[in-house]
Amino acid sequence: MISLVLMLALQAAAPSATPSAAANPGPGPITAIGKQKLPAKGCAAYLWSMDAGRQLVAMAMADPAQIRLAIDGKTTDYAMATQSPGIGFGFGGVTQYRGGDVTATLDMAIAVRADISAGATVTSATLRIDRPGRDTVVMPVGGLIGCV
């Protein structure tokens, strides 16, 4: 009980800082990937963090099936390893990507809307990053699918 009161007192005494737009958009190692173009063919899901910064943190491509992430500041494409049944536009509801010691799992739901041509909205999604010997990170994301 005393330690809880002490932690609350220390937190109240600490100066508050407003995070900058360039700050890490979410928990752990996931950082923004910057502007991305549509792929030469097929569809891509553009996924933004759901925090106040709303930064682009992932781009999943249907062909070739891979995801682009910036982990620990390094932007890398990870190839698809497994995919659940399709939800449309070349994507599965749950897709697992792997590369090196990284396993990224994208779990998403989409909705087709009349006001979006050649694409859809990502209505809810989570991005999970697993690395041996490190904490698992799960980040809520949302976004759009665009196709050429």
Side-chain angles (χ1 to χ4, degrees), residues 8 12-13 16 20 26 40 44 46 62 76 83-84 94 96 99 106 118 125-127 132 139:
L8 291 173
S16 63
S20 70
Y46 299 88
T76 306
Q83 186 176 54
S84 70
V94 178
Q96 200 171 67
L106 177 60
T126 56
L127 178 60
M139 171 187 258

Side-chain angles (χ1 to χ4, degrees), residues 30 57-58 67 69 104-106 125-129 137-141:
I30 303 169
V57 294
I67 193 167
L69 301 168
T105 305
L106 177 60
T126 56
L127 178 60
R128 176 182 167 149
I129 305 298
V137 176
V138 179
M139 171 187 258
V141 292

Side-chain angles (χ1 to χ4, degrees), residues 25 31-36 46-49 54-59:
T31 57
I33 61 172
K35 289 184 179 182
Q36 302 293 313
Y46 299 88
L47 304 166
W48 284 267
S49 61
R54 295 281 180 168
Q55 295 199 21
L56 184 64
V57 294
M59 182 175 95

Side-chain angles (χ1 to χ4, degrees), residues 62-148:
D63 185 17
Q66 61 188 21
I67 193 167
R68 181 167 296 147
L69 301 168
I71 297 177
D72 294 333
K74 181 181 176 193
T75 302
T76 306
D77 291 339
Y78 299 93
M80 181 187 72
T82 63
Q83 186 176 54
S84 70
I87 58 172
F89 302 95
F91 296 101
V94 178
T95 307
Q96 200 171 67
Y97 304 88
R98 288 196 183 110
D101 69 344
V102 174
T103 299
T105 305
L106 177 60
D107 185 345
M108 70 177 176
I110 65 170
V112 176
R113 293 183 5 194
D115 61 338
I116 298 176
S117 62
T121 60
V122 177
T123 56
S124 67
T126 56
L127 178 60
R128 176 182 167 149
I129 305 298
D130 292 294
R131 299 183 292 172
R134 300 191 187 197
D135 290 340
T136 293
V137 176
V138 179
M139 171 187 258
V141 292
L144 296 169
I145 293 176
C147 303
V148 290

